[in-house]
Amino acid sequence: MRLGMAIDLKRCAGCYACVAACKAENGTPPGIFLRRVMKEEAGTFPRVRRVPYPIQCMHCQDPACKAVCPTGATTQRADGIVLVDDEKCVGCRYCIMACPYGVRFYHAKIREYYPGQGLTVYEELMYKLHPTGVTEKCTFCVHRVEKGLEPACVANCPTKAMTFGDLDDPESEVSRIVRDRRGMQLRAELGTDPSVFYLSP
Amino acid sequence: MALVKELKAEKEDVWIPSVCNICYSNCTIRARRVDGVLVKIEGHPEAANAGGGGRICAKGQSGIMLLYDPNRVNYPLKRTNPEKGIGIDPGWQRISWDEALDTLAAKLKEARQKDPRSITLTFSAVDTLSFGFTAAWWMALNYFSNWWVSGAGPHCGNGEHAMAAILHGAIHTQVDYDHCNYLLMFGCGAGAGMYYNATASMRWIADAKVRGMKVVVLDPLLSTPAERADEWIPIKPGTDGYVALSMINLLVNEYNLYDAEHLKTHTNAPYLIKKNGKYMRDRETSKPLVWDAGEGKAKTYDDPTIKDFALTGTYGVDGETCCPGFQALKDHVKKYTPEGAASISGVPAGTIRRITKEFGEAARIGSSIEIEGHKLPHRPVGVLYFKGAQAHKHTLWTAMALSLLPEIVGAADTPGSLLGSNPRCLGYPETGLPRWEPIEGPDGLLIAGSWIGPPPSALSEVKVPENISLQEISPLSVLGTGQPFTLLDPAKYGLKYTPEVLLMTGCNVIMTHTEIPKVAEAIKRFPFVASLSLHLDEVTEFADLILPEASYLERYDLPQPPTLAGYHNSAILKEWLTSLRQPIVEPLYERKPRHEIIFHLLDKLDLWQDFAATYNMVAQLREPYLLDPNKRYTWTEILDLTLKSHFGEDHNLEWFKKNGVIKWKKKPEESYWKHFMKLRVPIYFEWFVDLRERTEEVLRQLTYGEELDFSDLQPLPDWGPCASHEEKRPGFDLYAFYYRVPTHTFSSTYNNAWLDDLGQIDPTVYNLVMNEDYGKKKGLKEGDWVWIESMYGGRTKGKLHLTQGVHPECLAIANCGGHWSKYLPIASQPEKGSCFEWLMKLDPKCVDWTVQNWDLCVKVKVDKA
């Protein structure tokens, strides 16, 4: 089993709803976005395009972050999900350097969303899930996946731009769409074999 | 901690259905409460086909940060510093609710005794409470006389709303995405988390794109909707109308791509027009005449013996020469050539020709489609336009031109086309309520059955303005915008009373109207200002009393106006939907829901009976659920009666609290009403001639009449420049204009910590967007701070983002950032955007008075700060 995702850039509206969905589901602290939307501009006026594309942990089959982790904190499950064990993580941040996608964050200390005004009750509750001194990244919402739910970004996408499922199963929706639309991996040349595929706009 | 981290409840973990109100779309949501804390907002899965589409945008999910923002106002406050002004601290002092309500009630009582019109009420389009509730308490307090809707004029769609009423019987329009193949958008945020049906329309457009719909966006900015379009065509601000007129010219005079059958059956295109611009009427019946080409004679438009309506040619009737309205349109648009349009708009003539051809051919004139057993014309093209296109001096003309473009190819209220949203509702099947539909007005033309005020039509009255908005002089306008003029010079505007109390709810009129210092002065003219507030924002700096309001996550409401086509309901043939807003948490601190505050005031002023009478009518209550005017109800009791009245005894408040949503199938007779009702719409706006005459008659009675220009009221649109197009002083070489982004709602969300965090990811949210090549030429770099100086003298500051994705002659400014209230510590940081209103001028010349819309296009000079 290899859990993965296809992101259809023909559907993506660049609206940032997935970024908010990730933040809302995981309660991430200020400045930490386990999922972001990048916008790449090409061309010169008036022939110019700007394509929005979401990025997050690619849950690579051969994760560069795992290879450099000195404590074995970064692990990969049998279903392909790459996770960080914060009890083993010592916060050395080698993984942040090694990740080709810039999707890992170091949580140095608890910060408030309203600086100098204390944590909101929401933050008090949610930041318990975010220990300091360790690295964080997208987990494919493993806590949802284990209950049979889709990751929050997928479940909430207003345009249904994302398909999530088992890439090892040729009959799965995600495998079919990656095959039919010739899904591409970001920076495939690095050989990390990401499990997130992009379908061209 | 382990590998799988998850929030674990100790006592409680529940999902509660409700309705969002972070913008006006009112998407249906469900919210998760864990141990008393709101932890998540999602789209309600039951609302998959309307009301949010079962998902929710970034703004909606960030409601959590609105609820828990430590800068929310939590206690009643009174001013201790008598001096009022921008940036002057009112010296707030906490008081009790009793003191606050007693003070306000006493002030209102005193003012009502002098003249109820001395009370002005404000709200904003974002702040969507039950329309029945708002209408009823306004009626009770000041007879619905003086109101000030925040953003009305500068930020709302006064031109589009008028055209939506006249051509579609609705308050706004949507496209039938399920069957549309070609969509043109002019300065509109549809499909990118903005515009109406903000969340749901994102998926409808995505589905349509996958199906093959082509999207072409004309906009000076490579905006979020333009990013996802198949084609972005940059256009100079204020020239959209010219391009549309040239497209109409090509369609009717060169390509012969128009829907003759539609024009004959559903419009006034065949009505004969005399040289004076008015209908040729039957001597006996006064009905407009048409030319029956089959028999070669004139007949009344509704004569059943007509064999063939003539659309073109000139005819002699009763010794006068006349021609069908369509011929008049053909002749009128001849001067609008693509080459002329190119020189004005910067869009190449070849591009205009190509998209016109694509549009006209995509309309598949003559084709039909079978929908639920009905064979209906299939015109799979749409034209959407909003603020960007119409926020200019000639709003009405622009709106007319852009609305006629789909109309002439028959792409109106038929499958695949532009649809009114929503002109006809036959009600919930069990009760037939709520119900509204367009009716036949004079000369066989449609009058909208449900609108915000009286819908514009040939019957519209023009009156000497007595209200501070001056709206009575502009019946095409849904919302008046003249308040600062009248408040600053009440004698000139002939006010028969002195404004005494301004009672503000849910809006920030200082940052969303026009020239900020003047608007501030206007607000100061009220001796007493009270505000029901979520935050201490810029407009509350001028308040004397603050009443802390519960947010939409802390109160009950029925946000869709019961007799008004709700913004959240889809125009498309999907489902009707009504959902209940209910508290996710009880109001925190001493915040109170607006309903409770207002009911306390009604009690103290002894106005309960007035409230009940209006509510019964506006909310369409029926026996046995009518409010007894002699009884005092709670808001939840009223909601219970309203819901039972509309949806039957079983669907009471308890049912809605549990289920959240009721939905029922929409019928083709509703979405495509045009083919089931015998009503026509104008392509030749004949009654504008009469309206102008009647308006000018009133203007002559006014001391300020000469300042209000109504000369654009003519039966067919032209194009005219904005003041910015005529500004030639050296240095003033950029058109500044305003646009919207998917992560903020006007000025209201800038202190939301999540949206602020998100906004910083995208350089077009807070920065001034300037063309990279222009910037380089001026020696300006990404991130430079600049001063913007307006042609009118106003100034503001901002940080630059340089991109290829904006017209080189433009400077784009997003939403209404640039807050300055120290009580909004996130929003007031200097790098959080700029407020366009600093660049505007309070001048009657900057308004299109026909629809009371402001020109938001200003020439500016930019210098490094």
Side-chain angles (χ1 to χ4, degrees), chain B residues 105-346:
Chain B
K107 292 285 181 188
L108 291 169
K109 197 166 210 166
E110 209 181 306
R112 285 189 92 254
Q113 274 160 4
K114 288 181 187 162
D115 192 320
R117 295 171 300 175
S118 68
I119 301 168
T120 293
L121 307 163
T122 76
F123 92 127
S124 99
V126 177
D127 183 47
T128 46
L129 282 83
S130 151
F131 189 62
F133 167 76
T134 305
W137 78 265
W138 284 18
M139 186 59 95
L141 219 52
N142 75 354
Y143 303 120
F144 222 110
S145 57
N146 273 322
W147 40 259
W148 188 347
V149 176
S150 184
H155 295 280
C156 86
N158 271 353
E160 196 263 1
H161 294 320
M163 285 300 117
I166 296 168
L167 293 170
H168 305 277
I171 189 73
H172 64 93
T173 50
Q174 271 291 7
V175 164
D176 190 9
Y177 300 112
D178 280 358
H179 305 99
C180 182
N181 295 334
Y182 194 91
L183 172 61
L184 280 172
M185 280 208 275
F186 292 79
C188 172
M194 298 169 269
Y195 197 59
Y196 299 100
N197 303 110
T199 307
S201 64
M202 282 197 263
R203 191 175 93 237
W204 300 336
I205 291 189
D207 286 348
K209 277 186 64 182
V210 169
R211 187 175 45 77
M213 179 176 80
K214 183 172 177 179
V215 183
V216 178
V217 170
L218 287 93
D219 199 303
L221 177 72
L222 181 57
S223 57
T224 316
E227 282 169 4
R228 72 184 302 219
D230 295 278
E231 192 174 348
W232 170 52
I233 301 175
I235 179 171
K236 282 188 209 170
T239 66
D240 310 68
Y242 205 122
V243 172
L245 286 167
S246 73
M247 292 178 74
I248 296 172
N249 180 22
L250 287 171
L251 289 169
V252 301
N253 286 317
E254 209 168 302
Y255 302 156
N256 275 323
L257 284 167
Y258 57 87
D259 188 344
E261 205 41 53
H262 165 81
L263 292 168
K264 289 174 185 179
T265 319
H266 299 293
T267 76
N268 71 350
Y271 291 20
L272 294 171
I273 310 297
K274 297 189 289 189
K275 285 274 179 260
N276 68 0
K278 294 197 181 181
Y279 294 140
M280 172 66 80
R281 292 182 183 273
D282 181 48
R283 277 192 194 163
E284 264 173 49
T285 61
S286 258
K287 287 180 179 176
L289 293 171
V290 298
W291 189 261
D292 183 354
E295 284 188 29
K297 67 178 197 188
K299 295 179 180 177
T300 59
Y301 71 91
D302 56 354
D303 188 327
T305 69
I306 295 168
K307 292 200 173 68
D308 186 19
F309 289 91
L311 286 178
T312 54
T314 50
Y315 305 95
V317 180
D318 286 348
E320 264 196 83
T321 309
C322 50
C323 70
F326 185 66
Q327 181 67 49
L329 173 71
K330 272 170 70 94
D331 296 343
H332 180 83
V333 295
K334 261 196 182 127
K335 59 178 180 283
Y336 293 100
T337 62
E339 290 69 27
S343 72
I344 298 283
S345 69

Side-chain angles (χ1 to χ4, degrees), chain B residues 356-635:
Chain B
T356 307
K357 200 154 219 173
E358 285 174 3
F359 174 79
E361 285 171 356
R364 299 163 66 159
I365 294 161
S367 71
S368 57
I369 187 170
E370 187 162 314
I371 290 184
E372 296 178 23
H374 301 280
K375 194 177 167 202
L376 301 169
H378 186 210
R379 299 288 174 276
V381 295
V383 177
L384 286 178
Y385 65 94
F386 212 64
K387 201 67 234 175
Q390 58 180 320
H392 300 288
K393 175 62 190 163
H394 300 281
T395 307
L396 179 65
W397 282 352
T398 303
M400 287 165 78
L402 286 164
S403 296
L404 284 179
L405 190 53
E407 196 69 43
I408 56 169
V409 297
D413 302 299
T414 203
S417 76
L418 191 67
L419 305 177
S421 185
N422 281 288
R424 193 180 201 206
C425 175
L426 300 175
Y428 180 64
E430 278 175 38
T431 60
L433 284 174
R435 186 186 176 104
W436 63 84
E437 62 184 4
I439 55 165
E440 185 177 342
D443 306 325
L445 300 185
L446 150 160
I447 298 181
S450 166
W451 220 54
I452 288 180
S457 78
L459 301 177
S460 291
E461 279 185 279
V462 185
K463 287 186 272 189
V464 171
E466 291 189 9
N467 296 336
I468 60 165
S469 73
L470 303 176
Q471 202 248 351
E472 303 104 304
I473 194 128
S474 311
L476 294 186
S477 153
V478 59
L479 300 163
T481 194
Q483 297 87 351
F485 294 111
T486 47
L487 288 167
L488 289 173
D489 199 345
K492 176 176 165 185
Y493 290 92
L495 275 198
K496 296 195 177 87
Y497 48 89
T498 310
E500 301 283 350
V501 177
L502 176 65
L503 177 51
M504 304 191 292
T505 53
C507 68
N508 189 341
V509 286
I510 285 203
M511 288 185 69
T512 55
H513 203 94
T514 174
E515 191 176 346
I516 288 171
K518 294 260 176 74
V519 177
E521 271 312 301
I523 293 173
K524 277 169 72 176
R525 298 297 166 97
F526 286 98
F528 186 78
V529 179
S531 183
L532 275 61
S533 293
L534 299 175
H535 283 104
L536 295 174
D537 60 13
E538 290 69 16
V539 81
T540 59
E541 269 181 0
F542 293 83
D544 299 281
L545 182 72
I546 301 288
L547 304 159
E549 226 190 331
S551 69
Y552 69 93
L553 295 160
E554 303 160 271
R555 60 171 150 86
Y556 285 97
D557 208 355
L558 192 58
Q560 113 290 1
T563 58
L564 189 81
Y567 298 138
H568 62 296
N569 264 310
S570 141
I572 307 173
L573 186 62
K574 289 182 183 287
E575 282 167 341
W576 287 102
L577 172 146
T578 289
S579 33
L580 176 77
R581 180 176 293 143
Q582 60 178 322
I584 311 306
V585 298
E586 287 303 308
L588 302 173
Y589 306 93
E590 287 189 15
R591 304 168 188 170
K592 281 187 198 294
R594 187 176 308 171
H595 313 92
E596 207 180 300
I597 301 171
I598 299 303
F599 288 174
H600 280 307
L601 291 173
L602 295 178
D603 286 342
K604 286 178 192 286
L605 294 164
D606 198 18
L607 290 172
W608 187 260
Q609 292 196 349
D610 303 50
F611 174 89
T614 310
Y615 187 86
N616 280 338
M617 188 183 69
V618 179
Q620 287 192 349
L621 298 196
R622 62 187 168 102
E623 288 290 2
Y625 305 110
L626 288 165
L627 300 187
D628 175 353
N630 297 312
K631 224 179 117 187
R632 164 70 152 89
Y633 298 85
T634 63
W635 177 234

Side-chain angles (χ1 to χ4, degrees), chain B residues 16-20 27-31 41-44 51 56 552-553:
Chain B
I16 302 158
S18 191
V19 182
C20 186
C27 298
T28 310
I29 54 173
R30 57 179 204 143
I41 298 173
E42 291 183 352
H44 196 296
I56 189 75
Y552 69 93
L553 295 160

Side-chain angles (χ1 to χ4, degrees), chain A residues 11 16-17 21 25 31 39 41 45 48 50 86-87 113-114 117 128 147 154-158 160, chain B residues 1 5-6 40 55-56 61 65 69 71 203 207 222 227-228 232 751 753-754 757 762 803-804 808:
Chain A
R11 284 185 171 273
Y16 300 95
E25 179 67 32
K39 296 201 175 185
E41 194 172 296
F45 182 89
V48 47
R50 192 185 298 130
D86 53 52
E87 283 172 0
Y113 251 116
Y114 290 93
Q117 297 188 289
K128 289 180 194 153
K147 291 185 190 124
V154 179
N156 181 68
C157 174
K160 295 195 175 176
Chain B
M1 280 289 159
K5 287 178 269 186
E6 190 182 8
K40 184 97 189 283
R55 314 274 168 129
I56 189 75
Q61 296 179 84
M65 287 291 121
D69 182 350
N71 304 288
R203 191 175 93 237
D207 286 348
L222 181 57
E227 282 169 4
R228 72 184 302 219
W232 170 52
N751 208 60
W754 279 3
D757 212 358
D762 187 328
T803 165
Q804 292 291 329

Side-chain angles (χ1 to χ4, degrees), chain A residues 8 10-17 19-21 23-25 28-33 36-37 39 41 43-46 48-50 52 73 75 77 83-87 113-115 117 120-123 125-126 128-129 131 142-144 146-147 152 154-160, chain B residues 1-7 34 37-40 42-43 55-58 61-62 64-66 68-71 191-193 199 202-203 206-207 209-210 222-224 227-230 232 234 742-743 751-754 757-758 761-762 764 771 801 803-808 825-826:
Chain A
D8 188 349
K10 203 178 180 78
R11 284 185 171 273
C12 177
C15 73
Y16 300 95
V19 183
K23 185 154 280 296
E25 179 67 32
T28 50
I32 295 186
F33 291 100
R36 282 172 289 162
V37 173
K39 296 201 175 185
E41 194 172 296
T44 51
F45 182 89
V48 47
R49 295 278 330 236
R50 192 185 298 130
T75 55
R77 300 178 5 146
L83 295 174
V84 180
D85 183 342
D86 53 52
E87 283 172 0
Y113 251 116
Y114 290 93
Q117 297 188 289
T120 60
V121 288
Y122 170 86
E123 290 171 286
L125 204 60
M126 295 306 282
K128 289 180 194 153
L129 306 177
V142 64
H143 60 285
R144 289 174 60 97
E146 286 188 346
K147 291 185 190 124
V154 179
N156 181 68
C157 174
T159 68
K160 295 195 175 176
Chain B
M1 280 289 159
L3 285 165
V4 180
K5 287 178 269 186
E6 190 182 8
L7 182 64
V34 170
V37 179
L38 166 63
V39 297
K40 184 97 189 283
E42 291 183 352
R55 314 274 168 129
I56 189 75
C57 76
Q61 296 179 84
S62 303
I64 299 172
M65 287 291 121
L66 170 69
Y68 295 123
D69 182 350
N71 304 288
T199 307
M202 282 197 263
R203 191 175 93 237
D207 286 348
K209 277 186 64 182
V210 169
L222 181 57
S223 57
T224 316
E227 282 169 4
R228 72 184 302 219
D230 295 278
W232 170 52
T743 46
N751 208 60
N752 185 304
W754 279 3
D757 212 358
L758 253 68
I761 302 175
D762 187 328
T764 68
N771 183 280
H801 169 56
T803 165
Q804 292 291 329
V806 66
H807 196 288
I826 290 183

